């Protein structure tokens, strides 16, 4: 039987006048995610998108897997296509859902008729199809409350679609519909999760990574590449800027009060990432900071870094426990990469007694011995970029 994929849009169905902009973005992102799995036609009706394979060699398993990571989709499923004729729909349902119905003990039938002229009406359709399926699968019992399988028949303009349970989509809103932001990406657990969370809220992402060779090695940079490869199915392709940070860190270490190392360093990160962000049409920075996690993530410390950022700083994991962040990292498959024990530039120059309650004027004073402007210029000019795409 011919099949297609049904996508149910979530939150964007609630959008008003600019709903079609969101929908166009969703279709664009969905098409991109399907690259390499075959050619498809897209149509939409109400809050459902119909993704119809154009040839028999489409890889629908991979297609569904890829689409399940596209933000803006609340639920999705494969469906069998039957003619709009109830006598054809009945055997088609039995054949298409044979495996699911054989394995289940209980089921129910639901119907949606976009075409209200279709006969029978929904209640009769459910009752009659339910009876037919019990004849074909005599072990089945109807359970309208908690069925193991729900058989759904959707009667639309040109065909009827038959499917069982949908799988949850990635939720959120389509990437790109909210503009672009720059993710400060370390090799740790938190920042990839932060990037995922903001992409889920519709932001297209570029990434900025600070590397301090020879204190940090090439494998630390490769780790960041690997993390982005794991994020790309959700975020779409990401341009990564790798910033040379050694000179700045050495200068701080040689010239500044040790207690302020981390804060001064983080302020440099904000300024440099901010400049790269502004050069690349970004409206915000994103970090993986969470209040109280480490000394540089107290409220006063965050105020000291915010003070130099030219853009708003989004911190989606700010109120989350490490355990909650790890749960997401596991789900999006970044966790195992993040915990690889490669050095990060932050861990190389860690002060023994970091200030947890810094005063902005004291930080500024501690940093005043540096020629910040020249250091920033060289770091920004020395940044290399590469685009990480879906493999
Ligand atoms: P993560 O697990 O994301 O590394 P963390 O708990 O280790 O976070 P910090 O090292 O204090 O926290 O860093 C806080 C945030 O600063 C990170 O989430 C990230 O956004 C940014 N950051 C830290 N190091 C780097 C780096 N080398 N390159 C780019 N951004 C960084
Ligand atoms: Mg880190």
């Amino acid at each position: 039987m011919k099949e297609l994929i049904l996508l149910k849009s979530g939150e964007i169905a609630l959008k008003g006048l600019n709903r079609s902009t969101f929908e166009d973005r969703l279709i664009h992102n969905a098409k991109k995610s399907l690259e390499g799995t075959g050619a498809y036609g897209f149509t939409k009706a109400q809050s459902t998108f119909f993704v119809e394979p154009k040839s028999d060699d489409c890889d629908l398993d991979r297609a569904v897997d890829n689409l399940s990571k596209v933000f803006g989709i609340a639920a999705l499923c494969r469906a069998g296509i039957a003619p709009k004729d109830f006598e054809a729909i009945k055997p088609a349902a039995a054949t298409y859902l044979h495996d699911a119905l054989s394995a289940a003990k209980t089921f129910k039938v639901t119907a949606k008729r976009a075409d209200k002229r279709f006969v029978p009406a929904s209640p009769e359709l459910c009752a009659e199809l339910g009876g037919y399926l019990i004849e074909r699968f005599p072990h089945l019992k109807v359970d309208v409350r908690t069925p193991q399988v729900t058989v759904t028949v959707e009667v639309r303009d040109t065909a009827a679609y038959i499917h069982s349970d949908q799988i949850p989509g990635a939720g959120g809103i389509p990437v790109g519909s909210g503009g672009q932001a720059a993710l400060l990406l370390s090799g740790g657990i938190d920042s990839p999760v932060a990037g995922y969370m903001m992409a889920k809220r519709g932001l297209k992402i570029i990434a900025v990574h600070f590397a301090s060779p020879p204190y940090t090695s090439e494998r630390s940079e490769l780790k960041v590449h690997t993390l982005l490869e794991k994020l790309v199915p959700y975020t779409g392709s990401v341009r990564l800027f790798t910033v040379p940070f050694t000179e700045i860190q050495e200068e701080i270490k040689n010239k500044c009060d040790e207690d302020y190392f981390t804060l001064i360093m983080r302020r440099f990160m904000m300024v440099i990432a901010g400049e790269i962000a502004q050069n690349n049409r970004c409206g915000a920075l994103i970090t993986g900071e969470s209040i109280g996690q480490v000394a540089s993530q107290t409220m006063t410390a965050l105020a000291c870094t915010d003070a130099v950022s030219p853009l708003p700083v989004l911190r989606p994991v700010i109120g989350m426990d490490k355990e909650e962040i790890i749960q997401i990292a596991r789900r999006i498959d970044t966790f195992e990469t993040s915990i690889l024990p490669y050095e990060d530039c932050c861990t190389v120059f860690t002060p023994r007694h970091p200030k947890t309650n810094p005063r902005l004027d004291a930080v500024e004073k501690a940093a005043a011995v540096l020629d910040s402007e020249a250091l920033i210029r060289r770091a920004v000019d020395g940044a290399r970029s590469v685009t990480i795409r879906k493999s």
Side-chain angles (χ1 to χ4, degrees):
M1 189 185 311
K2 280 210 181 303
E3 281 184 284
L4 85 176
I5 301 169
L6 301 182
L7 309 177
K8 309 283 173 166
S9 69
E11 212 173 304
I12 62 172
L14 306 172
K15 300 285 175 200
L17 289 176
N18 49 6
R19 171 170 164 179
S20 70
T21 319
F22 284 89
E23 289 179 339
D24 292 347
R25 178 67 68 170
L26 175 56
I27 291 175
H28 175 266
N29 295 350
K31 281 183 177 163
K32 274 244 165 273
S33 88
L34 289 172
E35 279 171 6
T37 74
Y40 304 82
F42 273 72
T43 47
K44 69 176 179 199
Q46 284 105 25
S47 55
T48 304
F49 296 87
F50 302 86
V51 184
E52 202 158 346
K54 283 185 176 163
S55 61
D56 291 336
D57 56 1
C58 289
D59 183 346
L60 289 195
D61 285 332
R62 250 183 79 207
V64 168
D65 190 45
N66 291 2
L67 288 167
S68 72
K69 300 183 173 112
V70 174
F71 293 126
I73 298 169
L76 66 163
C77 65
R78 282 164 78 148
I81 307 175
K84 272 175 72 171
D85 166 1
F86 191 46
E87 289 315 309
I89 289 173
K90 287 191 280 189
T95 308
Y96 185 62
L97 300 177
H98 177 273
D99 293 352
L101 292 171
S102 301
K105 292 197 173 70
T106 60
F107 83 116
K108 77 170 178 182
V109 179
T110 63
K112 291 179 190 155
R113 283 181 320 149
D115 177 0
K116 297 294 177 204
R117 292 164 311 181
F118 185 80
V119 185
S122 296
E124 289 78 37
L125 189 159
C126 293
E128 214 176 302
L129 179 55
Y132 175 86
L133 291 174
I134 287 176
E135 257 172 47
R136 293 282 300 269
F137 302 88
H139 69 285
L140 278 179
K141 296 229 165 354
V142 173
D143 179 346
V144 290
R145 280 167 181 242
T146 51
Q148 289 172 341
V149 172
T150 300
V151 175
T152 302
V153 179
E154 304 195 24
V155 184
R156 300 277 180 168
D157 288 346
T158 57
Y161 305 120
I162 299 159
H163 60 86
S164 56
D165 302 320
Q166 306 181 356
I167 61 166
I173 46 185
V175 166
S177 55
Q180 183 158 261
L183 169 67
L184 280 81
L185 183 63
S186 68
I189 297 167
D190 308 324
S191 44
V193 170
Y196 163 84
M197 288 176 74
M198 293 324 300
K200 185 170 185 181
R201 295 314 300 161
L203 301 192
K204 174 104 186 115
I205 282 182
I206 69 166
V208 181
H209 175 69
F210 295 88
S212 296
Y215 306 103
T216 60
S217 63
E218 201 166 318
R219 44 183 204 173
S220 303
E221 279 183 55
L222 285 178
K223 179 179 175 182
V224 169
H225 283 226
T226 308
L227 285 172
L228 282 176
E229 279 161 13
K230 307 261 183 192
L231 284 183
V232 158
Y234 300 96
T235 59
S237 54
V238 175
R239 189 155 172 215
L240 165 68
F241 291 81
T242 303
V243 179
F245 209 46
T246 316
E247 187 190 12
I248 290 178
Q249 288 201 296
E250 286 181 339
E251 278 283 289
I252 298 174
K253 188 170 169 21
N254 293 336
K255 298 188 178 158
C256 300
D257 177 351
E258 181 185 332
D259 294 358
Y260 292 101
F261 275 5
T262 312
L263 268 170
I264 296 172
M265 184 192 73
R266 299 197 55 71
R267 282 160 57 93
F268 272 103
M269 285 187 177
M270 290 299 190
V271 174
I272 294 164
E275 189 165 331
I276 292 172
Q278 286 177 307
N279 290 341
N280 289 278
R281 300 185 314 281
C282 291
L285 301 179
I286 302 168
T287 74
E289 290 164 304
S290 159
I291 284 278
Q293 207 184 78
V294 290
S296 62
Q297 297 176 17
T298 61
M299 261 202 303
T300 41
L302 296 184
C304 290
T305 48
D306 270 358
V308 289
S309 173
L311 293 172
V313 183
L314 309 178
R315 301 181 167 98
V317 305
I318 194 78
M320 290 169 75
D321 291 351
K322 196 75 185 186
E323 212 31 63
E324 294 171 308
I325 300 172
I326 288 174
Q327 247 178 34
I328 299 179
R330 283 192 196 280
R331 185 151 49 78
I332 63 176
D333 195 31
T334 52
F335 183 71
E336 297 298 332
T337 306
S338 289
I339 58 173
L340 293 173
Y342 305 153
E343 60 297 307
D344 178 62
C345 68
C346 294
T347 46
V348 177
F349 298 91
T350 314
R352 282 162 294 180
H353 309 289
K355 281 262 183 283
T356 52
N357 201 9
R359 289 175 44 133
L360 182 55
D361 53 355
V363 183
E364 285 169 346
K365 193 164 156 228
V369 293
L370 303 172
D371 183 358
S372 298
E373 222 166 278
L375 288 169
I376 290 164
R377 211 37 307 112
R378 283 197 286 277
V380 171
D381 292 346
R384 289 170 286 121
S385 86
V386 53
T387 300
I388 314 281
R389 298 176 205 283
K390 190 161 71 76
S391 50

